[in-house]
């Protein structure tokens, strides 16, 4: 399959919370996309001017910019590595839903292979002093042999893919490109890039 | 404004993880919807037959059923109360994105009024023994005066609403109907129901 322009991929994930808004990781992801003949689109591209805006208005401006980025892309590769809790970053989850609703491709990877159910149990075993939501004790635990909540895993699978799961060097869970490369490889095989 | 049939509202939230798959809360939410002239649609309505399916296939069947429920609704009221981490349930976040992408109304409430930034800081201060993702230390914290990640709050605000935030009796954070009723009241005022 030939394309007049490169397939544009939205780079979703908690990468934006890394130092310098994840510039190092986004630059590396974009370079890797180019090697596969794709174009990576970072949420930080052409970041909106936030000067003079109150914090809440800043957040909204970023929300609108992210939607515009997603609307310009054919699909998403999501970093689904758990972030400050048992699940992947919730903002990234929102973005997967946003792309899935439009029938765009939804790929994802995680660098934590401990099953979702076990992470949930581990969280529930922690003392209430250290847990954010002590009131969630007694709630049930999803047991579907999935990497995360079924809504995100389902979106990936519905596209005919699977969530790429890999263990990486300790400390590099959020920054490693292992899973991202695995997703690009899948995508290239499908698109003939 | 008159409607030939009641506006259908998808009831999103971690309510499905409550005992008996949240039946008590869903029944109460549906009754409250009827009082306002709306129809509440629970993810558990007409639950798919999971007999004989492997766990992963069960998860996918529920994913597809949830999408069908959402496709049949005009909008969503999401329980955004934090769930096993600093953020709302990630599956619910996915559903908000899925509805937002289709231009449907996205309302939400939370029964935890502690700001997102403070919850993040509290999580980061916890010892690595009790934290699920010790590797997330050193990542930045969103400071947009929002109730949760900007993607979900943005979706609510983009519809002209705000996230309903209320403190409730300790222990009833996940089951109280306080925020849900506030959302219905907002919606009724807009639709003239």
């Amino acid at each position: 399959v030939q394309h007049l322009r490169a397939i544009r991929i939205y780079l979703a994930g908690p990468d934006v919370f890394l130092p310098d808004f994840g510039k190092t990781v986004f630059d590396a992801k974009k370079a890797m996309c180019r090697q596969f003949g794709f174009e990576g689109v970072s949420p930080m591209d052409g970041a909106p001017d936030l000067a003079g805006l109150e914090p809440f208005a800043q957040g909204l401006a970023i929300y609108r910019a992210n939607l515009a980025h997603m609307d310009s892309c054919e699909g998403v590769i999501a970093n689904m590595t758990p972030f400050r809790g048992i699940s992947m970053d919730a903002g990234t989850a929102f973005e997967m839903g946003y792309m899935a609703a439009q029938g765009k491709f939804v790929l994802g990877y995680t660098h934590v292979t401990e099953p979702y159910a076990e992470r949930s149990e581990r969280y529930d075993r922690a003392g209430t002093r250290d847990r954010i939501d002590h009131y969630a004790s007694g709630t049930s635990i999803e047991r579907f042999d999935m990497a995360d909540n079924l809504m995100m895993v389902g979106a990936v699978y519905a596209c005919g893919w699977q969530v790429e799961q890999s263990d990486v060097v300790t400390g590099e869970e959020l920054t490693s490109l292992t899973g991202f490369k695995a997703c690009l490889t899948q995508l290239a095989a499908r698109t003939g890039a």
Side-chain angles (χ1 to χ4, degrees), chain A:
Chain A
V1 178
Q2 294 214 330
H3 299 277
L4 291 176
R5 66 169 176 78
I7 292 176
R8 287 166 60 87
I9 305 170
Y10 184 70
L11 307 176
D15 313 34
V16 292
F17 301 115
L18 293 167
D20 201 17
F21 303 108
K23 185 177 186 332
T24 305
V25 166
F26 284 126
D27 285 350
K29 283 186 168 180
K30 286 183 178 190
M32 196 175 277
C33 283
R34 278 192 296 273
Q35 289 167 8
F36 280 85
F38 302 128
E39 181 181 358
V41 175
S42 156
M44 298 306 295
D45 288 349
D49 184 8
L50 304 179
L53 295 180
E54 295 294 318
F56 192 91
Q58 291 179 17
L60 295 180
I62 296 171
Y63 170 76
R64 287 187 290 261
N66 289 352
L67 258 55
H69 282 319
M70 287 192 281
D71 289 338
S72 78
C73 288
E74 277 75 47
V76 58
I77 296 181
N79 180 352
M80 298 172 67
T81 306
F83 187 69
R84 291 194 180 118
I86 60 161
S87 283
M88 56 179 289
D89 169 55
T92 305
F94 177 99
E95 295 175 333
M96 293 175 75
Y98 187 86
M99 298 299 265
Q102 301 179 52
K104 297 180 173 179
F105 69 80
V106 179
L107 276 75
Y109 66 89
T110 177
H111 292 141
V112 168
T113 59
E114 181 186 27
Y116 183 50
E118 291 178 24
R119 300 198 305 272
S120 303
E121 286 174 341
R122 192 150 59 91
Y123 186 88
D124 281 2
R125 276 197 304 270
T128 54
R129 189 181 60 84
D130 292 313
R131 283 178 49 196
I132 288 289
D133 58 349
H134 53 277
Y135 52 82
S137 68
T139 54
S140 67
I141 289 179
E142 264 195 41
R143 297 184 191 280
F144 297 119
D145 284 345
M146 289 183 169
D148 208 310
N149 181 291
L150 64 88
M151 292 308 288
M152 287 78 78
V153 177
V156 175
Y157 195 88
C159 298
W161 315 98
Q162 56 186 337
V163 176
E164 292 290 338
Q165 302 183 55
S166 48
D167 282 314
V168 296
V169 175
T170 300
E172 296 185 4
E173 289 88 347
L174 283 180
T175 53
S176 168
L177 295 176
T178 303
F180 186 73
K181 187 173 186 179
C183 289
L184 286 180
T185 305
Q186 276 199 42
L187 188 61
R190 293 287 187 91
T191 58

